[in-house]
Amino acid sequence: MMKSSGRKRVKRRLAASHPTVSASFDLLEGLPLAIVILDTDLTVLAANRESHRLLGPRFPSSTVRSFPSLWSTLTKSDSGTITAQLNGVLKSRRPTSVTHHLLLQKATHPVPVEWTCAPGIFDGKTVLILSIRDLSHERELEQDCNRLAAIAEESPLPMIELDRQMSLLYANPAMISLLTQFGYSLEGFPNVAPRNLPDIVQRCLATNYVVHDEAVVLPEASFSWTFCPVPTHGVVRGYAIDMTSVHKTQQALQLSTDELRQNNRRLDQALEEAKESARVKTAFLATVSHELRTPMNGVIGMTSLLMETSLTSEQQSYA
């Protein structure tokens, strides 16, 4: 910042040459724009506080007060071009168009600015009024906007934006690819979008609630949609996740589960048949054993009784 004594000298100089400028300059001190007042010979008469912040606390220098020379030093631009532009304003009495430069300050990054120059009459004398605006914040916002826009453009997820009238305001490249591939329904809506899309959009805007997991299953592909309202703009943005591979995997698992159930049923049936066969065998053997044991016991008993009688040796051998 310029020292208080330095500002006082500037004001005294202004008061001596342009009393009206001196009175008006106090109003310029609080402006967020850098204001520089030039004489007709392009000499710096005064600069407000924002000028000292933006251009340097010692602007203008104690030895150089020619604005073209000072600006050329700050921006590495041609002083002759600057002189011609300023003299053109003096001659035509018309403001310059906006010109952009990068201020090269020590120990800082280049600062983007825009400046305009307009002629003015103070106390019957002509001066040039330069307004210089710092564009750093605007450039940062612009970069943020570009970065956010690039996210949608580069995203592999389909995105759409619709208004209350169901007009498709935006579709990112991923969505455009789907529109090209799957086309539109007879109602004029994308085939990859939910069939009740109008109801979803109206519900989102009416309740300001996000709608999740709206499934769309086509023969060739499957999607899961999320719709988010943007009340400030009266639009709804939809984001889709490609569920084709997941859906196919689920179908394959379902088929495998069904086959496994069928195999289990077959195994259960075979087990029941095996149990029944074993039961029949057991019953058969029990029956056969009983039927054989009864006559055999009779034969064995009668043979035992026979062997207790008087038998010839031959009969004894047979018995």
Side-chain angles (χ1 to χ4, degrees):
M1 297 292 293
M2 181 181 288
K3 294 182 179 180
S4 177
S5 59
R7 287 199 296 271
K8 288 179 179 178
R9 287 196 298 271
V10 169
K11 289 183 179 180
R12 285 197 297 269
R13 182 179 176 187
L14 286 170
S17 58
H18 303 292
T20 308
V21 173
S22 178
S24 302
F25 191 75
D26 288 334
L27 301 176
L28 305 179
E29 288 290 353
L31 292 179
L33 296 175
I35 303 296
V36 180
I37 298 178
L38 307 181
D39 205 344
T40 54
D41 61 357
L42 308 184
T43 299
V44 178
L45 294 177
N48 67 347
R49 291 190 182 93
E50 180 64 13
S51 298
H52 300 145
R53 184 198 70 81
L54 187 60
L55 307 178
R58 297 183 179 179
F59 180 89
S61 68
S62 58
T63 57
V64 179
R65 303 189 68 85
S66 170
F67 180 81
S69 298
L70 294 169
W71 193 256
S72 174
T73 302
L74 287 171
T75 64
K76 305 301 181 184
S77 57
D78 180 52
S79 62
T81 302
I82 303 300
T83 300
Q85 288 178 333
L86 298 177
N87 285 331
V89 174
L90 287 171
K91 183 178 180 180
S92 66
R93 307 295 298 170
R94 294 179 180 176
T96 61
S97 58
V98 175
T99 305
H100 295 82
H101 291 281
L102 290 177
L103 297 181
L104 304 178
Q105 299 178 355
K106 293 182 179 179
T108 61
H109 296 291
V111 179
V113 299
E114 68 176 8
W115 66 274
T116 58
C117 177
I121 301 295
F122 293 95
D123 197 22
K125 296 182 180 180
T126 300
V127 295
L128 291 178
I129 302 175
L130 282 170
S131 61
I132 307 169
R133 188 159 63 96
D134 187 345
L135 299 178
S136 300
H137 185 60
E138 291 183 16
R139 290 289 177 84
E140 290 176 359
L141 292 177
E142 183 180 355
Q143 290 174 356
D144 288 342
C145 290
N146 292 337
R147 177 173 54 82
L148 292 174
I151 292 175
E153 290 294 308
E154 297 169 1
S155 173
L157 301 179
M159 300 181 187
I160 58 174
E161 185 176 88
L162 302 136
D163 62 11
R164 295 180 183 274
Q165 290 71 39
M166 294 304 299
S167 298
L168 184 60
L169 304 179
Y170 171 76
N172 70 338
M175 184 64 190
I176 292 175
S177 177
L178 292 182
L179 293 176
T180 303
Q181 182 178 0
F182 296 100
Y184 295 83
S185 66
L186 295 177
E187 294 81 9
F189 304 128
N191 281 323
V192 295
R195 295 297 179 188
N196 59 335
L197 185 59
D199 295 336
I200 294 174
V201 170
Q202 298 305 324
R203 193 188 339 149
C204 282
L205 293 175
T207 63
N208 289 336
Y209 289 150
V210 177
V211 177
H212 297 280
D213 302 328
E214 287 291 329
V216 176
V217 180
L218 303 175
E220 307 88 351
S222 302
F223 301 92
S224 177
W225 284 88
T226 299
F227 293 91
C228 304
V230 186
T232 55
H233 294 77
V235 299
V236 171
R237 291 176 184 148
Y239 307 88
I241 299 176
D242 191 342
M243 302 292 289
T244 304
S245 58
V246 175
H247 187 67
K248 288 182 178 179
T249 301
Q250 290 175 341
Q251 287 180 327
L253 288 174
Q254 185 64 42
L255 290 175
S256 299
T257 302
D258 293 342
E259 291 178 357
L260 183 60
R261 288 173 179 171
Q262 291 178 359
N263 291 335
N264 287 337
R265 285 195 293 269
R266 294 192 189 100
L267 288 174
D268 291 341
Q269 184 178 357
L271 180 60
E272 290 297 326
E273 291 175 354
K275 288 180 179 180
E276 180 65 18
S277 176
R279 187 187 64 77
V280 171
K281 260 184 207 179
T282 302
F284 172 75
L285 290 176
T287 301
V288 170
S289 175
H290 176 73
E291 295 296 331
L292 289 177
R293 189 165 56 249
T294 299
M296 285 179 64
N297 286 336
V299 171
I300 292 172
M302 294 303 294
T303 303
S304 297
L305 292 174
L306 179 62
M307 293 180 66
E308 293 176 358
T309 60
S310 298
L311 299 173
T312 64
S313 58
E314 184 177 7
Q315 290 174 333
Q316 185 73 26
S317 175
Y318 289 160

